[in-house]
Amino acid sequence: MKLTLTILLFVTLSLNVFAQSPEKMSYQAIIRAQDNSLVINAKIGLNIIVHQGTVSGTTVYQETHSINTNANGLVSLEIGTGTIVTGNFSTIAWDKGPFYIETQVDAAGGTNYNIIGVTQLLSVPYALYAKTAERLVGSNAVSQGPYKATIIPFTSSRSIANSDVNNTLECTTSATLTITAAFSAMTIGETINLEAHNGAVLTIQAASGVSINYNANGTAQFTSTTGNVRFGLLRKSGVNAYIISGQ
């Protein structure tokens, strides 16, 4: 007779607050049979799927485990350490939730999984969210704090650089920033803060194959006045496409 299981989920994270956040998340489940009896001291197959957005949304990560229940029907493991089916746990964008964990179990220990259900992560583990923030603002986040952008002096014309992403360009001498078609370090939704200071003119130039505000090879300018600062924002909106506001 086919065994139907129910499952209770406990997702936890234990950290040393001074250590680098681990690329894993503690997970516990109590496995029960259809008659509510515990499945004890048995090897089970477990398939873990992380969905983004909705209960049936994009699968951003999937892994499998072969593990034994204990005398209380409990299994304990760490998501991020199983056999990877798809995705990379360390690069999940926890700031772009919500996220849901789908659990599939084979009580016989194989891969003939029965879909048990989906549980929403109501609170993204803080350290993993902070890890994502650190990745977004760059390596300087370690010394400056996880949400503080790096101020990058901009005094001579150049092409956009990887280090500019999610940081602030401080233009104090008139210069041009060129966005090239080959630039790929920026992902859709990421931004660069733009500042023109004290009479400086900051020009943003789209190279061939790049659009600014839906204009191919477009140009935007931030012209400051003496004693003032002109602010703007550059956001990637598509492949070789950018939106600029504030000019």
Side-chain angles (χ1 to χ4, degrees):
M1 181 176 68
K2 185 176 181 180
L3 184 65
T4 302
L5 302 176
T6 60
I7 194 167
L8 298 176
L9 303 180
F10 304 91
V11 180
T12 60
L13 188 67
S14 298
L15 293 176
N16 180 333
V17 295
F18 298 106
Q20 182 180 8
S21 59
E23 308 297 347
K24 56 190 177 182
M25 182 166 51
S26 297
Y27 172 99
Q28 292 183 317
I30 296 174
I31 310 299
R32 293 182 180 272
Q34 189 174 21
D35 62 1
N36 206 39
S37 63
L38 295 171
V39 178
I40 63 174
N41 299 322
K43 177 174 281 189
I44 64 169
L46 195 63
N47 190 29
I48 302 290
I49 304 172
V50 180
H51 294 283
Q52 183 179 17
T54 66
V55 295
S56 58
T58 302
T59 296
V60 295
Y61 183 74
Q62 182 178 352
E63 70 178 21
T64 61
H65 293 260
S66 180
I67 192 169
N68 292 319
T69 61
N70 66 12
N72 298 310
L74 179 72
V75 293
S76 298
L77 55 90
E78 291 176 322
I79 300 175
T81 63
T83 300
I84 297 174
V85 177
T86 186
N88 186 333
F89 190 76
S90 67
T91 60
I92 294 175
W94 295 108
D95 59 320
K96 295 179 172 61
F99 290 89
Y100 300 80
I101 292 183
E102 178 180 350
T103 304
Q104 302 177 355
V105 176
D106 181 355
T111 58
N112 184 26
Y113 302 113
N114 298 307
I115 296 179
I116 303 306
V118 182
T119 298
Q120 183 178 2
L121 284 174
L122 296 178
S123 178
V124 173
Y126 172 77
L128 291 178
Y129 186 94
K131 182 75 173 181
T132 299
E134 177 182 324
R135 175 174 57 85
L136 290 177
V137 302
S139 59
N140 284 324
V142 174
S143 59
Q144 296 189 0
Y147 306 109
K148 189 173 183 180
T150 299
I151 307 300
I152 301 174
F154 190 77
T155 57
S156 60
S157 298
R158 62 171 173 81
S159 295
I160 193 170
N162 294 359
S163 58
D164 297 331
V165 180
N166 293 297
N167 290 315
T168 298
L169 294 183
E170 183 184 57
C171 179
T172 55
T173 302
S174 296
T176 298
L177 176 71
T178 300
I179 307 175
T180 65
F183 181 68
S184 60
M186 201 170 185
T187 61
I188 294 173
E190 289 186 320
T191 61
I192 297 174
N193 298 317
L194 303 170
E195 296 179 358
H197 289 243
N198 198 32
V201 178
L202 173 59
T203 301
I204 310 298
Q205 177 65 58
S208 178
V210 180
S211 69
I212 291 178
N213 293 351
Y214 306 104
N215 295 310
N217 310 117
T219 299
Q221 282 192 334
F222 296 85
T223 303
S224 63
T225 58
T226 302
N228 287 289
V229 180
R230 185 70 180 272
F231 298 95
L233 183 73
L234 182 151
R235 174 176 61 85
K236 187 167 185 178
S237 59
V239 178
N240 285 332
Y242 298 84
I243 298 295
I244 292 183
S245 58
Q247 81 271 20

